[in-house]
Amino acid sequence: MGGNFPLGYEADGRTLKIVEPEAKTVLKVFRIYLELGTVLLIKKEVDRPGLRSKIRKFADGRIRGGTPLNLYKMQNNPLHAGRIRHKDETHEGQHLPVVDIETWDAVQHRLEIQAPQRPSRNTGVSLSPLRGKLFNEKGVSLTPSHTVK
């Protein structure tokens, strides 16, 4: 397995191994979210003890990480529930979960409920009221075109 590993895991051959101190942090974030109910309140609670992202040291001496936690990214990562994401689907992983499936499902449900309702792209007023209502003899929709001289 390659790439960066989420908080709570480290590489172990071709799978992931749980890092206990980090896993406790992840589990704490999930539980605090279920208690408090909003990510903004969690952010205040998590920043108080100074919980930070995983620090990565590269071979050339560079250091990355140690930044405030991205809570949305953490709570939407199926790796924490022992699953892997491929495109739009999730599958069982070969690694142990940090968060039990009941907690994971409860958090996902609450995040879904609290997500802002965004309007679809086509809610604006059309400048062409006949658009989609006129067709030629072959049944092809006639579309308007506009020019400016």
Side-chain angles (χ1 to χ4, degrees):
M1 181 162 189
N4 293 331
F5 312 110
L7 192 66
Y9 291 103
E10 67 180 16
D12 184 26
R14 295 187 52 85
T15 187
L16 297 174
K17 179 175 74 172
I18 293 177
V19 178
E20 282 303 320
E22 294 176 5
K24 288 178 183 177
T25 300
V26 171
L27 194 55
K28 181 179 181 179
V29 168
F30 274 78
R31 289 189 176 147
I32 290 173
Y33 178 68
L34 289 177
E35 289 173 18
L36 300 179
T38 67
V39 175
L40 291 175
L41 290 175
I42 297 175
K43 185 73 176 152
K44 291 178 184 174
E45 200 64 30
V46 168
D47 283 348
R48 217 175 288 154
L51 298 176
R52 300 288 182 175
S53 65
K54 180 182 282 211
I55 296 175
R56 294 173 175 86
K57 296 177 184 175
F58 296 93
D60 62 2
R62 291 179 300 142
I63 297 175
R64 296 271 191 237
T67 59
L69 295 173
N70 183 335
L71 300 174
Y72 284 108
K73 191 173 181 180
M74 178 188 294
Q75 291 177 328
N76 284 310
N77 192 343
L79 282 173
H80 295 300
R83 302 184 60 77
I84 56 169
R85 180 182 292 136
H86 178 69
K87 296 184 181 179
D88 292 337
E89 298 178 2
T90 59
H91 306 280
E92 281 300 316
Q94 297 178 348
H95 60 285
L96 295 173
V98 169
V99 178
D100 61 280
I101 197 69
E102 293 81 19
T103 303
W104 169 261
D105 287 340
V107 167
Q108 297 312 303
H109 179 69
R110 183 169 279 178
L111 285 171
E112 187 177 316
I113 289 171
Q114 292 179 345
Q117 299 298 319
R118 302 193 191 285
S120 65
R121 293 185 74 176
N122 297 329
T123 58
V125 177
S126 174
L127 297 175
S128 304
L130 296 177
R131 183 178 182 172
K133 296 179 181 172
L134 296 177
F135 301 90
N136 69 7
E137 65 278 353
K138 294 182 180 178
V140 177
S141 176
L142 299 175
T143 57
S145 63
H146 305 278
T147 62
V148 177
K149 287 191 174 186

